[in-house]
Amino acid sequence: PPPPPPPPPPPPPPPPPVEYSQSMPFLVKRKALNGYVGDVGFDPLGFSEILPMDWLREAELKHCRVCMLATVGFVFTDFLTLPGSIYQVSTLDAHDVSVASGSMSQLLLWIGIAEIISVVAIQQMLAGSGRAPGEFGFDPMGFAKDASKKADLEMKELANGRLAMMAFSGMVTQAVLTGNSFPYLY
């Protein structure tokens, strides 16, 4: 009699479960986002799989902080102006006047110096210095002494910064479209 046929091979293991993004439930959540404050799985273009996540978070926090200041500053200049004829311009025209007077080049110089210093800090962070993205040890009031409170403050900074990025973009667009000062409605 012929030998019995060999047993069939075991079935392949099931694929791992797919974790979907909280912010865009039809997209797969990127693994590199795990463990970061404010992670809702938003990375539709997959930058976190191409670039270092610490560098991306550093850039996001920098843009958040700049836009939080810019949002307040953009509205503030519609209510208070400095004395002198050069300052009696609309918020939208202030950029052109600053370029013409040369003050914008000084701003470019000082921001350039700050950026050069930040490049050194970012390179050290990416090399494993232990510095968290966006962390410069600036907490003169001691708000973040408690770890749970620090995580809460980091989340608030990120959420308000993301809102400020959208707010500033909308305010500038509305101001250009209407040609008016605050509240940029008509």
Side-chain angles (χ1 to χ4, degrees), residues 86 89 92-107:
I86 193 170
V89 295
L92 288 174
D93 294 332
H95 174 269
D96 297 337
V97 170
S98 297
V99 169
S101 70
S103 61
M104 197 62 85
S105 55
Q106 187 178 46
L107 185 64

Side-chain angles (χ1 to χ4, degrees), residues 113-170:
I113 291 170
E115 284 296 315
I116 289 169
I117 293 169
S118 79
V119 164
V120 173
I122 291 169
Q123 286 177 340
Q124 290 174 350
M125 175 189 66
L126 294 175
S129 70
R131 181 179 77 86
E135 180 65 47
F136 293 100
F138 182 74
D139 186 15
M141 304 296 280
F143 287 126
K145 288 182 180 177
D146 181 28
S148 65
K149 189 174 182 181
K150 182 178 181 182
D152 184 51
L153 290 172
E154 287 174 351
M155 182 61 218
K156 288 178 181 178
E157 177 187 29
L158 194 60
N160 288 316
R162 289 172 175 171
L163 176 64
M165 287 190 278
M166 299 303 293
F168 186 70
S169 301

